[in-house]
DNA sequence: TTTTTATCGATATATTTTTATCTATTATAC
DNA sequence: GTATAATAGATAAAAATATATCGATAAAAA
């Protein structure tokens, strides 16, 4: 029985902006700041205050007029909303250039994800460690996923192996794939795939630069 | 005097999806396919056909009913729209884990960006090469930007150096910064910054996973 | 105390983006 | 040739997202 379930709509753009606030808030906390207003947060992150206020709404934390939000509560609220309070284990497949960079990246761990081990099919890599985490043979992935109840897989294999390795992950019980390959994975509806697409970022940069250039040329003419 | 300028609005979401189509189209071309329909493209990329058709509109390429679009023209149209036909030179600052991965990544070169050199302030790295490109002292960046008329800078330095290095780039004449740090750069309005934010992707993954889990639990209950 | 100012939180409006509908076109099958 | 099915392209509707407005509230200043 839905006892007045407040149908809270979570907007994805807001969700994606939360880590940015979190990063700034953590810095503020280290500086000993107790309170922060959306005005100030907005200035730091380069957005309009109204955007920030709307975004923070989804955490459920409330602020005080003329004062702002309590920094520690806000941090906890965001972490809590994102489920970043308790670290989640993840496996990474494809310990190449990008894969090892990710395995050593503190930013991921700070955001609630713990890359437990890397998997590869290169005999030269298997058995060694990267940033303190061991590289295991890909074959062992399914069994370990099951035994350790790992739900998140990070995919950094070459494109032609992506689909196959992803299927292996899913068969073993992985529920979410952080996909760094260019491949659009074909998965069932119960699997969550987050594709991290460098090329779309580059496309955005290219077009924005082109626009800026055109704009400048127009101004020069007039 | 605007002689009936067809005010073509470029939607950013469409721009960001173009590289995905491009990647698939290039594969099709290698397979010798001459034509492709939005229906088929949509299936490949996992989107609705209507989305694909709307997106391809901005390239100006037209298709034929019952047939589709000519693959080579479409590739050229997308590349042309994004300015990826002629490679653009770029400098990268901060040749660490991520920086060197990017310098060796063919995907960037395929998308019209040519990382000419890397810059660092670590004496141990300066003078060596990464994936065939030399690592130069950061000090030399401004002069080389001016001499080579480089307009794009890639920022992969640690967070605490980001603002400083970005300012150095901008002062030298860099117009677009591909920012991989967590820092929200403070720049003037004529500088284009594309922030590549891993944490927002992770946030999206976390929330989508949480949702999927809740949904499944609801289904199990009923 | 009263006024002023900053800021929250709610509501409303505008804009952007997605999705649907419909018509025209063209290759293919009959 | 004519019917049929697939699909482009235009237009319209719906949904999502961003932005603006405004009253309430709390702190600081007068
Ligand atoms: N290098 C980058 O900067 C970058 C950036 C964005 C995306 N990517 C993507 O990340 C992926 C990897 O790129 P990279 O540059 O790290 O390549 P890489 O060749 O350096 O690394 C690939 C790794 O995967 C391993 N591998 C190959 N086949 C495998 C398999 N079937 N199972 C398990 N491991 C396997 C290889 O042994 C290697 O260690 C590619 O899909 C690429 O498109 C790379
Ligand atoms: N490692 C990852 O997977 C990853 C992923 C996403 C974003 N990032 C971001 O990329 C940046 C670099 O990360 P990393 O893991 O490669 O770190 P890293 O420490 O491996 O590399 C940093 C490099 O920058 C150089 N450097 C330091 N100060 C400099 C300066 N003032 N000028 C020029 N060079 C300087 C260092 O010598 C080093 O080579 C960070 O801001 C990080 O948040 C990293």
């Amino acid at each position: 029985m839905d006892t007045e379930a407040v149908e809270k709509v979570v907007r994805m753009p807001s969700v994606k902006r939360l880590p940015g606030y979190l990063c700034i808030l953590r810095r503020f906390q280290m500086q000993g700041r107790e309170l922060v207003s959306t005005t100030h947060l907005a200035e730091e992150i380069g957005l309009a205050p109204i955007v920030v206020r709307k975004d923070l709404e989804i955490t459920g934390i409330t602020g005080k007029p003329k004062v702002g939000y309590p920094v520690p509560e806000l941090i906890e609220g965001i972490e809590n909303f994102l489920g970043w309070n308790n670290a989640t284990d993840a496996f990474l497949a494809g310990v190449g250039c990008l894969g090892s960079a990710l395995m050593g990246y503190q930013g991921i761990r700070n955001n609630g994800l713990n890359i437990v081990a890397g998997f590869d099919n290169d005999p030269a890599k298997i058995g060694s460690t990267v940033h303190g985490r061991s590289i295991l043979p890909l074959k062992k992935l399914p069994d370990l996923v099951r035994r350790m109840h790992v739900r998140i897989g990070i995919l950094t294999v070459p494109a032609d192996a992506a689909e196959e390795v992803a299927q292996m992950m899913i068969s073993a019980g992985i529920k979410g794939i952080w996909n760094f390959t260019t491949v659009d994975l074909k998965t069932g509806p119960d699997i969550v795939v987050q594709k991290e697409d460098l090329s779309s970022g580059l496309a955005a940069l290219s077009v924005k630069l082109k626009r800026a250039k055109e704009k400048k040329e127009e101004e020069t003419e007039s």
Side-chain angles (χ1 to χ4, degrees), chain A residues 113-153:
Chain A
L113 203 66
N114 180 28
I115 306 180
V116 185
F119 294 83
D120 209 295
N121 68 352
D122 182 352
K125 286 179 180 171
I126 293 168
S128 64
T129 62
V130 182
H131 295 109
R133 253 70 59 85
S134 36
I135 305 177
L136 308 172
L138 187 72
K139 278 184 193 172
K140 288 198 177 171
L141 186 136
D143 187 46
L144 279 167
V145 165
R146 275 184 275 264
R147 273 167 43 196
M148 295 181 67
H149 304 289
V150 173
R151 288 173 58 233
I152 294 179

mmCIF file of all heavy atoms in Angstrom, chain A residues 113-153:
data_model
loop_
_atom_site.group_PDB
_atom_site.id
_atom_site.type_symbol
_atom_site.label_atom_id
_atom_site.label_comp_id
_atom_site.label_asym_id
_atom_site.label_seq_id
_atom_site.Cartn_x
_atom_site.Cartn_y
_atom_site.Cartn_z
ATOM 1 N N LEU A 113 33.700 3.351 -5.259
ATOM 2 C CA LEU A 113 33.926 2.139 -6.043
ATOM 3 C C LEU A 113 35.309 1.570 -5.741
ATOM 4 O O LEU A 113 36.308 2.277 -5.799
ATOM 5 C CB LEU A 113 33.799 2.451 -7.539
ATOM 6 C CG LEU A 113 33.472 1.244 -8.419
ATOM 7 C CD1 LEU A 113 32.084 0.712 -8.110
ATOM 8 C CD2 LEU A 113 33.580 1.608 -9.879
ATOM 9 N N ASN A 114 35.338 0.304 -5.449
ATOM 10 C CA ASN A 114 36.577 -0.363 -5.073
ATOM 11 C C ASN A 114 36.920 -1.417 -6.125
ATOM 12 O O ASN A 114 36.296 -2.472 -6.186
ATOM 13 C CB ASN A 114 36.394 -1.007 -3.693
ATOM 14 C CG ASN A 114 37.638 -1.716 -3.226
ATOM 15 O OD1 ASN A 114 38.748 -1.341 -3.603
ATOM 16 N ND2 ASN A 114 37.457 -2.749 -2.419
ATOM 17 N N ILE A 115 37.905 -1.104 -6.962
ATOM 18 C CA ILE A 115 38.313 -2.071 -7.984
ATOM 19 C C ILE A 115 39.166 -3.143 -7.305
ATOM 20 O O ILE A 115 40.316 -2.896 -6.950
ATOM 21 C CB ILE A 115 39.083 -1.393 -9.128
ATOM 22 C CG1 ILE A 115 38.254 -0.235 -9.704
ATOM 23 C CG2 ILE A 115 39.400 -2.408 -10.227
ATOM 24 C CD1 ILE A 115 38.920 0.510 -10.839
ATOM 25 N N VAL A 116 38.563 -4.292 -7.113
ATOM 26 C CA VAL A 116 39.187 -5.343 -6.326
ATOM 27 C C VAL A 116 40.325 -6.014 -7.077
ATOM 28 O O VAL A 116 41.370 -6.308 -6.513
ATOM 29 C CB VAL A 116 38.128 -6.398 -5.924
ATOM 30 C CG1 VAL A 116 38.741 -7.437 -5.013
ATOM 31 C CG2 VAL A 116 36.944 -5.729 -5.261
ATOM 32 N N ALA A 117 40.112 -6.265 -8.356
ATOM 33 C CA ALA A 117 41.128 -6.948 -9.153
ATOM 34 C C ALA A 117 40.931 -6.632 -10.629
ATOM 35 O O ALA A 117 39.850 -6.208 -11.057
ATOM 36 C CB ALA A 117 41.043 -8.453 -8.927
ATOM 37 N N GLY A 118 42.013 -6.846 -11.389
ATOM 38 C CA GLY A 118 41.934 -6.692 -12.836
ATOM 39 C C GLY A 118 42.013 -8.046 -13.507
ATOM 40 O O GLY A 118 42.594 -8.989 -12.947
ATOM 41 N N PHE A 119 41.423 -8.159 -14.682
ATOM 42 C CA PHE A 119 41.450 -9.417 -15.423
ATOM 43 C C PHE A 119 41.941 -9.170 -16.838
ATOM 44 O O PHE A 119 41.599 -8.157 -17.448
ATOM 45 C CB PHE A 119 40.051 -10.043 -15.447
ATOM 46 C CG PHE A 119 39.576 -10.482 -14.095
ATOM 47 C CD1 PHE A 119 38.995 -9.561 -13.219
ATOM 48 C CD2 PHE A 119 39.720 -11.800 -13.680
ATOM 49 C CE1 PHE A 119 38.564 -9.955 -11.958
ATOM 50 C CE2 PHE A 119 39.287 -12.190 -12.419
ATOM 51 C CZ PHE A 119 38.710 -11.273 -11.556
ATOM 52 N N ASP A 120 42.755 -10.100 -17.323
ATOM 53 C CA ASP A 120 43.302 -9.939 -18.663
ATOM 54 C C ASP A 120 43.534 -11.328 -19.254
ATOM 55 O O ASP A 120 43.461 -12.334 -18.555
ATOM 56 C CB ASP A 120 44.613 -9.141 -18.593
ATOM 57 C CG ASP A 120 44.878 -8.339 -19.850
ATOM 58 O OD1 ASP A 120 45.081 -8.951 -20.916
ATOM 59 O OD2 ASP A 120 44.874 -7.100 -19.768
ATOM 60 N N ASN A 121 43.785 -11.367 -20.555
ATOM 61 C CA ASN A 121 44.103 -12.666 -21.158
ATOM 62 C C ASN A 121 45.534 -12.698 -21.695
ATOM 63 O O ASN A 121 45.911 -13.630 -22.393
ATOM 64 C CB ASN A 121 43.087 -13.032 -22.246
ATOM 65 C CG ASN A 121 43.194 -12.133 -23.454
ATOM 66 O OD1 ASN A 121 43.931 -11.140 -23.422
ATOM 67 N ND2 ASN A 121 42.470 -12.458 -24.499
ATOM 68 N N ASP A 122 46.295 -11.687 -21.341
ATOM 69 C CA ASP A 122 47.697 -11.639 -21.751
ATOM 70 C C ASP A 122 48.552 -12.330 -20.692
ATOM 71 O O ASP A 122 48.666 -11.840 -19.566
ATOM 72 C CB ASP A 122 48.118 -10.170 -21.911
ATOM 73 C CG ASP A 122 49.563 -10.042 -22.382
ATOM 74 O OD1 ASP A 122 50.270 -11.068 -22.440
ATOM 75 O OD2 ASP A 122 49.974 -8.907 -22.690
ATOM 76 N N PRO A 123 49.162 -13.473 -21.058
ATOM 77 C CA PRO A 123 49.955 -14.240 -20.081
ATOM 78 C C PRO A 123 51.059 -13.393 -19.450
ATOM 79 O O PRO A 123 51.432 -13.635 -18.296
ATOM 80 C CB PRO A 123 50.567 -15.363 -20.930
ATOM 81 C CG PRO A 123 49.691 -15.468 -22.131
ATOM 82 C CD PRO A 123 49.179 -14.093 -22.400
ATOM 83 N N ALA A 124 51.566 -12.440 -20.194
ATOM 84 C CA ALA A 124 52.644 -11.605 -19.678
ATOM 85 C C ALA A 124 52.161 -10.730 -18.524
ATOM 86 O O ALA A 124 52.949 -10.309 -17.676
ATOM 87 C CB ALA A 124 53.204 -10.737 -20.798
ATOM 88 N N LYS A 125 50.878 -10.427 -18.497
ATOM 89 C CA LYS A 125 50.352 -9.558 -17.454
ATOM 90 C C LYS A 125 49.814 -10.331 -16.257
ATOM 91 O O LYS A 125 49.871 -9.865 -15.119
ATOM 92 C CB LYS A 125 49.251 -8.674 -18.041
ATOM 93 C CG LYS A 125 49.817 -7.577 -18.934
ATOM 94 C CD LYS A 125 48.740 -6.700 -19.550
ATOM 95 C CE LYS A 125 49.389 -5.637 -20.426
ATOM 96 N NZ LYS A 125 48.420 -4.879 -21.219
ATOM 97 N N ILE A 126 49.254 -11.487 -16.555
ATOM 98 C CA ILE A 126 48.638 -12.295 -15.496
ATOM 99 C C ILE A 126 49.662 -12.650 -14.421
ATOM 100 O O ILE A 126 50.767 -13.062 -14.728
ATOM 101 C CB ILE A 126 48.018 -13.577 -16.085
ATOM 102 C CG1 ILE A 126 46.828 -13.194 -16.978
ATOM 103 C CG2 ILE A 126 47.567 -14.525 -14.983
ATOM 104 C CD1 ILE A 126 46.312 -14.330 -17.837
ATOM 105 N N GLY A 127 49.255 -12.465 -13.195
ATOM 106 C CA GLY A 127 50.142 -12.780 -12.077
ATOM 107 C C GLY A 127 50.813 -11.559 -11.503
ATOM 108 O O GLY A 127 51.181 -11.550 -10.333
ATOM 109 N N SER A 128 50.962 -10.532 -12.300
ATOM 110 C CA SER A 128 51.576 -9.304 -11.794
ATOM 111 C C SER A 128 50.522 -8.429 -11.120
ATOM 112 O O SER A 128 49.345 -8.796 -11.046
ATOM 113 C CB SER A 128 52.247 -8.544 -12.934
ATOM 114 O OG SER A 128 51.282 -8.136 -13.869
ATOM 115 N N THR A 129 50.963 -7.294 -10.602
ATOM 116 C CA THR A 129 50.020 -6.388 -9.961
ATOM 117 C C THR A 129 50.100 -4.995 -10.597
ATOM 118 O O THR A 129 51.138 -4.620 -11.137
ATOM 119 C CB THR A 129 50.308 -6.236 -8.450
ATOM 120 O OG1 THR A 129 51.601 -5.665 -8.284
ATOM 121 C CG2 THR A 129 50.227 -7.570 -7.733
ATOM 122 N N VAL A 130 49.019 -4.267 -10.520
ATOM 123 C CA VAL A 130 48.979 -2.881 -10.980
ATOM 124 C C VAL A 130 48.431 -2.035 -9.845
ATOM 125 O O VAL A 130 47.317 -2.279 -9.368
ATOM 126 C CB VAL A 130 48.055 -2.706 -12.204
ATOM 127 C CG1 VAL A 130 48.087 -1.259 -12.678
ATOM 128 C CG2 VAL A 130 48.488 -3.632 -13.318
ATOM 129 N N HIS A 131 49.218 -1.070 -9.410
ATOM 130 C CA HIS A 131 48.805 -0.230 -8.295
ATOM 131 C C HIS A 131 48.305 -1.054 -7.115
ATOM 132 O O HIS A 131 47.291 -0.746 -6.494
ATOM 133 C CB HIS A 131 47.721 0.761 -8.729
ATOM 134 C CG HIS A 131 48.205 1.753 -9.743
ATOM 135 N ND1 HIS A 131 47.817 1.734 -11.064
ATOM 136 C CD2 HIS A 131 49.056 2.794 -9.645
ATOM 137 C CE1 HIS A 131 48.402 2.708 -11.722
ATOM 138 N NE2 HIS A 131 49.167 3.371 -10.897
ATOM 139 N N GLY A 132 48.990 -2.149 -6.865
ATOM 140 C CA GLY A 132 48.680 -2.955 -5.690
ATOM 141 C C GLY A 132 47.568 -3.969 -5.870
ATOM 142 O O GLY A 132 47.296 -4.749 -4.967
ATOM 143 N N ARG A 133 46.930 -3.968 -7.024
ATOM 144 C CA ARG A 133 45.849 -4.930 -7.246
ATOM 145 C C ARG A 133 46.361 -5.983 -8.242
ATOM 146 O O ARG A 133 47.013 -5.642 -9.238
ATOM 147 C CB ARG A 133 44.605 -4.223 -7.826
ATOM 148 C CG ARG A 133 43.475 -4.090 -6.847
ATOM 149 C CD ARG A 133 43.757 -3.076 -5.706
ATOM 150 N NE ARG A 133 44.035 -1.732 -6.140
ATOM 151 C CZ ARG A 133 43.113 -0.815 -6.414
ATOM 152 N NH1 ARG A 133 41.835 -1.117 -6.307
ATOM 153 N NH2 ARG A 133 43.450 0.392 -6.763
ATOM 154 N N SER A 134 45.992 -7.224 -8.020
ATOM 155 C CA SER A 134 46.519 -8.285 -8.879
ATOM 156 C C SER A 134 45.737 -8.421 -10.184
ATOM 157 O O SER A 134 44.545 -8.113 -10.263
ATOM 158 C CB SER A 134 46.542 -9.613 -8.125
ATOM 159 O OG SER A 134 45.437 -9.723 -7.274
ATOM 160 N N ILE A 135 46.454 -8.885 -11.187
ATOM 161 C CA ILE A 135 45.851 -9.147 -12.491
ATOM 162 C C ILE A 135 45.663 -10.651 -12.626
ATOM 163 O O ILE A 135 46.622 -11.419 -12.557
ATOM 164 C CB ILE A 135 46.752 -8.640 -13.631
ATOM 165 C CG1 ILE A 135 47.065 -7.155 -13.422
ATOM 166 C CG2 ILE A 135 46.089 -8.863 -14.986
ATOM 167 C CD1 ILE A 135 48.015 -6.575 -14.449
ATOM 168 N N LEU A 136 44.424 -11.040 -12.797
ATOM 169 C CA LEU A 136 44.089 -12.457 -12.853
ATOM 170 C C LEU A 136 43.677 -12.849 -14.268
ATOM 171 O O LEU A 136 43.292 -11.989 -15.075
ATOM 172 C CB LEU A 136 42.949 -12.748 -11.873
ATOM 173 C CG LEU A 136 43.159 -12.250 -10.432
ATOM 174 C CD1 LEU A 136 41.878 -12.421 -9.619
ATOM 175 C CD2 LEU A 136 44.311 -12.996 -9.778
ATOM 176 N N PRO A 137 43.737 -14.145 -14.554
ATOM 177 C CA PRO A 137 43.278 -14.583 -15.885
ATOM 178 C C PRO A 137 41.773 -14.371 -16.037
ATOM 179 O O PRO A 137 41.013 -14.630 -15.097
ATOM 180 C CB PRO A 137 43.635 -16.067 -15.907
ATOM 181 C CG PRO A 137 43.843 -16.454 -14.491
ATOM 182 C CD PRO A 137 44.275 -15.242 -13.751
ATOM 183 N N LEU A 138 41.384 -13.933 -17.195
ATOM 184 C CA LEU A 138 39.968 -13.640 -17.451
ATOM 185 C C LEU A 138 39.077 -14.848 -17.135
ATOM 186 O O LEU A 138 37.946 -14.687 -16.660
ATOM 187 C CB LEU A 138 39.782 -13.218 -18.915
ATOM 188 C CG LEU A 138 38.395 -12.727 -19.285
ATOM 189 C CD1 LEU A 138 38.139 -11.352 -18.684
ATOM 190 C CD2 LEU A 138 38.206 -12.671 -20.787
ATOM 191 N N LYS A 139 39.596 -16.018 -17.386
ATOM 192 C CA LYS A 139 38.846 -17.252 -17.145
ATOM 193 C C LYS A 139 38.294 -17.327 -15.729
ATOM 194 O O LYS A 139 37.253 -17.928 -15.482
ATOM 195 C CB LYS A 139 39.780 -18.464 -17.343
ATOM 196 C CG LYS A 139 39.972 -18.902 -18.778
ATOM 197 C CD LYS A 139 40.845 -20.161 -18.775
ATOM 198 C CE LYS A 139 41.338 -20.472 -20.190
ATOM 199 N NZ LYS A 139 42.335 -21.573 -20.174
ATOM 200 N N LYS A 140 39.064 -16.773 -14.795
ATOM 201 C CA LYS A 140 38.653 -16.869 -13.397
ATOM 202 C C LYS A 140 37.562 -15.879 -13.023
ATOM 203 O O LYS A 140 37.027 -15.927 -11.915
ATOM 204 C CB LYS A 140 39.873 -16.651 -12.490
ATOM 205 C CG LYS A 140 40.845 -17.811 -12.496
ATOM 206 C CD LYS A 140 41.763 -17.748 -11.286
ATOM 207 C CE LYS A 140 42.699 -18.942 -11.235
ATOM 208 N NZ LYS A 140 43.730 -18.793 -10.202
ATOM 209 N N LEU A 141 37.272 -14.939 -13.916
ATOM 210 C CA LEU A 141 36.305 -13.884 -13.588
ATOM 211 C C LEU A 141 34.929 -14.415 -13.179
ATOM 212 O O LEU A 141 34.437 -14.061 -12.104
ATOM 213 C CB LEU A 141 36.190 -12.884 -14.750
ATOM 214 C CG LEU A 141 35.323 -11.652 -14.483
ATOM 215 C CD1 LEU A 141 35.995 -10.382 -14.984
ATOM 216 C CD2 LEU A 141 33.956 -11.784 -15.138
ATOM 217 N N PRO A 142 34.304 -15.281 -13.981
ATOM 218 C CA PRO A 142 32.952 -15.728 -13.640
ATOM 219 C C PRO A 142 32.864 -16.324 -12.247
ATOM 220 O O PRO A 142 31.987 -15.950 -11.461
ATOM 221 C CB PRO A 142 32.653 -16.777 -14.720
ATOM 222 C CG PRO A 142 33.528 -16.414 -15.860
ATOM 223 C CD PRO A 142 34.782 -15.869 -15.248
ATOM 224 N N ASP A 143 33.789 -17.225 -11.936
ATOM 225 C CA ASP A 143 33.750 -17.883 -10.640
ATOM 226 C C ASP A 143 33.891 -16.874 -9.499
ATOM 227 O O ASP A 143 33.165 -16.934 -8.505
ATOM 228 C CB ASP A 143 34.865 -18.927 -10.577
ATOM 229 C CG ASP A 143 34.768 -19.765 -9.320
ATOM 230 O OD1 ASP A 143 33.646 -20.214 -9.013
ATOM 231 O OD2 ASP A 143 35.799 -19.940 -8.641
ATOM 232 N N LEU A 144 34.812 -15.927 -9.663
ATOM 233 C CA LEU A 144 35.043 -14.933 -8.612
ATOM 234 C C LEU A 144 33.871 -13.959 -8.473
ATOM 235 O O LEU A 144 33.553 -13.522 -7.372
ATOM 236 C CB LEU A 144 36.346 -14.178 -8.880
ATOM 237 C CG LEU A 144 37.599 -14.939 -8.434
ATOM 238 C CD1 LEU A 144 38.856 -14.310 -9.010
ATOM 239 C CD2 LEU A 144 37.685 -14.967 -6.901
ATOM 240 N N VAL A 145 33.245 -13.634 -9.591
ATOM 241 C CA VAL A 145 32.059 -12.772 -9.525
ATOM 242 C C VAL A 145 31.009 -13.431 -8.650
ATOM 243 O O VAL A 145 30.404 -12.803 -7.781
ATOM 244 C CB VAL A 145 31.482 -12.499 -10.935
ATOM 245 C CG1 VAL A 145 30.075 -11.932 -10.847
ATOM 246 C CG2 VAL A 145 32.388 -11.554 -11.710
ATOM 247 N N ARG A 146 30.806 -14.701 -8.881
ATOM 248 C CA ARG A 146 29.805 -15.432 -8.110
ATOM 249 C C ARG A 146 30.193 -15.531 -6.637
ATOM 250 O O ARG A 146 29.371 -15.272 -5.756
ATOM 251 C CB ARG A 146 29.627 -16.834 -8.704
ATOM 252 C CG ARG A 146 28.619 -16.847 -9.867
ATOM 253 C CD ARG A 146 28.378 -18.260 -10.375
ATOM 254 N NE ARG A 146 29.387 -18.645 -11.354
ATOM 255 C CZ ARG A 146 29.219 -18.555 -12.682
ATOM 256 N NH1 ARG A 146 28.079 -18.095 -13.170
ATOM 257 N NH2 ARG A 146 30.170 -18.926 -13.510
ATOM 258 N N ARG A 147 31.434 -15.881 -6.391
ATOM 259 C CA ARG A 147 31.847 -16.082 -5.005
ATOM 260 C C ARG A 147 31.882 -14.802 -4.202
ATOM 261 O O ARG A 147 31.578 -14.772 -3.007
ATOM 262 C CB ARG A 147 33.214 -16.774 -4.965
ATOM 263 C CG ARG A 147 33.061 -18.297 -5.021
ATOM 264 C CD ARG A 147 34.365 -19.026 -5.289
ATOM 265 N NE ARG A 147 35.498 -18.521 -4.540
ATOM 266 C CZ ARG A 147 36.782 -18.791 -4.818
ATOM 267 N NH1 ARG A 147 37.053 -19.560 -5.873
ATOM 268 N NH2 ARG A 147 37.764 -18.302 -4.105
ATOM 269 N N MET A 148 32.276 -13.706 -4.871
ATOM 270 C CA MET A 148 32.399 -12.443 -4.137
ATOM 271 C C MET A 148 31.169 -11.548 -4.291
ATOM 272 O O MET A 148 31.140 -10.435 -3.772
ATOM 273 C CB MET A 148 33.657 -11.693 -4.602
ATOM 274 C CG MET A 148 34.951 -12.428 -4.278
ATOM 275 S SD MET A 148 36.392 -11.498 -4.831
ATOM 276 C CE MET A 148 36.339 -10.068 -3.751
ATOM 277 N N HIS A 149 30.182 -12.038 -5.039
ATOM 278 C CA HIS A 149 28.951 -11.282 -5.264
ATOM 279 C C HIS A 149 29.229 -9.882 -5.836
ATOM 280 O O HIS A 149 28.638 -8.902 -5.395
ATOM 281 C CB HIS A 149 28.137 -11.163 -3.972
ATOM 282 C CG HIS A 149 27.809 -12.474 -3.353
ATOM 283 N ND1 HIS A 149 26.905 -13.352 -3.911
ATOM 284 C CD2 HIS A 149 28.289 -13.092 -2.250
ATOM 285 C CE1 HIS A 149 26.830 -14.443 -3.169
ATOM 286 N NE2 HIS A 149 27.670 -14.321 -2.146
ATOM 287 N N VAL A 150 30.157 -9.809 -6.767
ATOM 288 C CA VAL A 150 30.476 -8.526 -7.400
ATOM 289 C C VAL A 150 29.373 -8.177 -8.394
ATOM 290 O O VAL A 150 28.922 -9.021 -9.160
ATOM 291 C CB VAL A 150 31.849 -8.591 -8.096
ATOM 292 C CG1 VAL A 150 32.110 -7.338 -8.897
ATOM 293 C CG2 VAL A 150 32.944 -8.788 -7.055
ATOM 294 N N ARG A 151 28.912 -6.937 -8.343
ATOM 295 C CA ARG A 151 27.792 -6.534 -9.189
ATOM 296 C C ARG A 151 28.198 -5.580 -10.311
ATOM 297 O O ARG A 151 27.440 -5.339 -11.239
ATOM 298 C CB ARG A 151 26.710 -5.868 -8.338
ATOM 299 C CG ARG A 151 25.959 -6.870 -7.440
ATOM 300 C CD ARG A 151 25.022 -6.143 -6.483
ATOM 301 N NE ARG A 151 24.062 -5.329 -7.193
ATOM 302 C CZ ARG A 151 23.846 -4.030 -6.954
ATOM 303 N NH1 ARG A 151 24.526 -3.405 -6.029
ATOM 304 N NH2 ARG A 151 22.945 -3.352 -7.635
ATOM 305 N N ILE A 152 29.419 -5.003 -10.202
ATOM 306 C CA ILE A 152 29.832 -4.010 -11.201
ATOM 307 C C ILE A 152 31.091 -4.455 -11.936
ATOM 308 O O ILE A 152 32.062 -4.903 -11.320
ATOM 309 C CB ILE A 152 30.078 -2.636 -10.526
ATOM 310 C CG1 ILE A 152 28.753 -2.094 -9.986
ATOM 311 C CG2 ILE A 152 30.701 -1.653 -11.511
ATOM 312 C CD1 ILE A 152 28.875 -0.752 -9.290
ATOM 313 N N GLY A 153 31.048 -4.342 -13.257
ATOM 314 C CA GLY A 153 32.202 -4.672 -14.084
ATOM 315 C C GLY A 153 32.641 -3.469 -14.896
ATOM 316 O O GLY A 153 31.807 -2.725 -15.409
#
